[in-house]
């Protein structure tokens, strides 16, 4: 029982550290998003959505859809060209960062 508890505590602690690292990496990568989506993910232009506080899975799915060409619309061409330069890890990092902002 004691070993199981230690195991679960170590997994929880290491996952928290990984999430914090991903958010920090996302923050470093977010400068390319700021010109349209605003500093800290709050856009001053109503044409661009706020990213702050969005669900992580939504952000990942949206970026992957832009990257694959499945998502179309007003800004799809711009988002597709930006997302082509992002790795899967970049997208996860950005999603982690923006999902944690209020």
């Amino acid at each position: 029982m004691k070993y199981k508890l230690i195991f679960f505590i170590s997994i929880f602690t290491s996952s928290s550290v990984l999430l914090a690292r991903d958010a920090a990496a996302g923050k470093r990568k977010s400068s390319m998003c700021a010109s349209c989506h605003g500093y800290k993910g709050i856009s001053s232009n109503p044409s661009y959505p706020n990213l702050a506080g969005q669900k992580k899975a939504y952000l990942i799915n949206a970026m992957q859809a832009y990257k694959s060409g499945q998502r179309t619309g007003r800004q799809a061409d711009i988002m597709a060209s930006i997302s082509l330069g992002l790795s899967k890890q970049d997208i996860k990092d950005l999603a982690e960062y923006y999902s944690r902002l209020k």
Side-chain angles (χ1 to χ4, degrees):
M1 179 70 174
K2 179 180 175 182
Y3 295 110
K4 286 182 183 178
L5 181 61
I6 292 170
F7 174 74
F8 287 117
I9 290 172
S10 67
I11 291 206
F12 178 74
T13 305
S14 62
S15 7
S16 297
V17 170
L18 287 174
L19 289 177
R21 186 182 68 211
D22 291 349
K27 183 177 183 178
R28 286 190 302 275
K29 297 170 187 176
S30 69
S31 61
M32 69 181 127
C33 310
S35 60
C36 296
H37 296 284
Y39 178 70
K40 292 199 174 189
I42 304 296
S43 177
S44 61
N45 184 333
S47 298
Y48 305 119
N50 293 330
L51 300 180
Q54 293 286 352
K55 293 187 185 300
K56 183 175 153 180
Y58 168 77
L59 293 169
I60 291 170
N61 290 335
M63 288 303 296
Q64 289 173 340
Y66 281 123
K67 190 171 183 171
S68 70
Q70 292 175 331
R71 194 161 184 180
T72 58
R74 296 180 311 184
Q75 306 298 329
D77 292 338
I78 294 168
M79 290 301 299
S81 65
I82 291 168
S83 64
L84 287 175
L86 298 174
S87 69
K88 286 182 180 181
Q89 189 60 50
D90 292 336
I91 291 171
K92 288 179 184 177
D93 293 344
L94 287 164
E96 185 66 41
Y97 170 65
Y98 282 114
S99 69
R100 290 177 168 226
L101 297 176
K102 301 293 176 206

